Amino acid sequence: MSKPSDDRSAAGRGELNRPAQLVATAAQTIGPYWALIEHPEWADLLRADGPNAGYAGGERITLTGQLTDGDGATCPDAVVELWQADPNGEYEAGFHGYGRSRCDAEGRFHFTTVKPGAVKGRGNATQAPHVTLSIFARGLMNHVSTRLYFSGEALNETDPVLAQVPEARRGTLIARPAGSGVWNLDIRLQGEGETVFLEV
Amino acid sequence: MSDPVGYLKVAPGSQPPLNSPGYGSTHKRHPKQAPIRIAPTLTESLAPRMLERDYPSFADMSVHEGRQAQGERIIVGGRVLDENGRPVPHCMVEIWQACSTGRYHHPLDTHDAPMDPNFKGEGRVFTDAEGNYQFVSIKPGAYPWRNHRNAWRPNHIHYSLFGQGFAQRLVTQMYFPGDPLLALDPVFNATPDVAARNRLICTLDMDIGKEEWALGYRFDFVLRGRDATPMENPQ
């Protein structure tokens, strides 16, 4: 086991057989007062004065869901971040795929965006259309990340990441239609129906 | 096109566990199932491009609407690097904190301390080409919270950083040297490795400070690095 070290000359010691010289800074909870850096308009990726102003491609959609804890209580003080590809399945190629949504009084996040396309996977694989959601909250020492897929997509059957998720829990990653252009995916942090979180 | 290079594994003990019993709010909010580890795809390898054009910087938190905030003026500066030791240029750093009396400019904060009307507590800066950043603020005060009997958070500043890869996203807190509350704080002490924990404490730096104007503190951030060796368990 390697010991994290303050000694910045540790490079080349071969710890963990890697070229690392430093150890990543410890995360700390975002706490209850992150709203000081809240910009509610960031939840609308297509906002008129934003980086995607005038973007006309793709299908406009709303993504929503309710965030709950181990008691099933809502998490109104949490924040959800979104990261996604454009309708062609490309990242940051003319479409800025970042959004941030504060959960409302019912613990719901809301994003206005465009539906992403299929994204190239590892090797020759193709990934089904998906967005990543990262959750930050009081009581989460570090953020947790998951993916939102769209039900009914044929590519879901062959998506390499979904294939890694036990079938019984796969549904926690698949959003359901909830009205015209609206997709819903609830996120359960703990307990029954706990969302599958992913790490790299 | 070759597959994205993986990230270095998290060094043991260097991150606080999601289940940190000393911090009461983690009890019902930490996932009980282990996360599923995936090989990075473009989704995890790339990151949103946070440009100053779209996210304007404001580096002087000590002045609000032209009026000086109360308290001890400070300059905080340092570098953002990755674990491979490379600087992270053009990295967006968001900053938020309590005012000098330990009160957040936020309706949820009901702590009975005078709120400084001239301190909003939000900042945003970008690193330069060499990964350097700097901002001006006020030393935040300690404040009570209800985690345990007579619980007080040590003086701290919150940060949110966007790196060049999705897995480099970092939200953390910086503490101040010599604070006796550090030994009692369950958030600070949740990180098991003592050295990793202590790296969250900035250092007094008289080169960063400005004579007869502000004290200076140095704080470097390290974001996750890349592992040149192939994944052990490719999917």
Side-chain angles (χ1 to χ4, degrees), chain A residues 26 28 81 92 100 122, chain B residues 40 49 94 122 169 172 175:
Chain A
Q28 301 276 270
E81 287 189 352
E92 299 294 80
R100 176 188 283 173
R122 293 179 71 86
Chain B
R49 212 175 289 149
E94 295 174 283
E122 181 192 12
R169 185 85 175 88
T172 190
Y175 303 93

Side-chain angles (χ1 to χ4, degrees), chain A residues 1-6 8 16-39 42 47 50-51 68-71 74-78 81-83 89 91-93 96-98 100 102 119-124 127 130-134 136-147 160-161 164-166 169 189-191 194-200, chain B residues 1 3-4 7-9 11-12 14-18 20 23 25-44 46-50 54-55 81-85 92 94-97 104-106 108-110 120-124 143 158 160 162 166-167 169-173 175 187-188 190-191 193 195-196 199-200 219-224 226-229 231 235:
Chain A
M1 195 169 100
S2 85
K3 287 197 184 75
S5 169
D6 270 323
R8 303 232 159 136
L16 289 181
N17 189 30
R18 66 192 203 180
Q21 303 174 28
L22 304 171
V23 173
T25 303
Q28 301 276 270
T29 180
I30 201 165
Y33 302 120
W34 66 270
L36 287 182
I37 56 161
E38 188 196 3
H39 296 271
W42 293 4
R47 60 191 180 274
T68 51
D69 70 9
D71 287 333
T74 58
C75 302
D77 56 357
E81 287 189 352
L82 169 148
W83 163 232
Y91 284 99
E92 299 294 80
H96 181 46
Y98 171 78
R100 176 188 283 173
R102 176 191 181 80
V119 175
K120 187 191 176 306
R122 293 179 71 86
N124 295 318
Q127 305 186 81
H130 63 276
V131 309
T132 69
L133 298 176
S134 297
F136 302 76
R138 170 182 63 83
L140 277 178
M141 286 300 300
N142 201 345
H143 61 282
V144 289
S145 296
T146 187
R147 285 185 176 195
V161 171
Q164 267 188 270
V165 178
R169 301 186 67 205
L189 287 175
Q190 186 191 85
E194 185 175 303
T195 294
V196 170
F197 297 103
L198 304 170
E199 67 170 24
V200 291
Chain B
M1 196 167 75
D3 286 334
Y7 290 95
L8 292 162
K9 284 189 178 143
S14 68
Q15 293 290 333
L18 292 173
S20 292
Y23 173 24
S25 294
T26 67
H27 294 181
K28 294 294 181 184
R29 289 188 166 187
H30 73 274
K32 294 205 166 169
Q33 310 257 8
I36 292 180
R37 186 169 161 84
I38 61 171
T41 70
L42 293 175
T43 305
E44 291 77 26
L46 303 173
R49 212 175 289 149
M50 312 306 285
D54 302 320
Y55 302 92
L81 305 164
D82 68 17
E83 288 178 291
N84 309 100
M92 182 166 116
E94 295 174 283
I95 306 148
W96 72 104
Q97 61 165 91
Y104 285 90
H105 198 279
H106 189 275
L108 269 183
D109 187 354
T110 54
K120 186 163 175 289
E122 181 192 12
R124 188 189 299 148
Y143 60 84
H158 295 265
S160 150
F162 293 80
F166 176 76
R169 185 85 175 88
L170 173 69
V171 170
T172 190
Q173 300 178 29
Y175 303 93
V187 176
F188 173 71
T191 301
D193 184 81
R199 283 193 293 271
L200 295 176
F219 191 67
D220 294 336
F221 297 92
V222 181
L223 308 183
R224 282 183 74 186
R226 303 280 184 154
D227 190 352
T229 58
M231 288 277 293
Q235 33 169 305

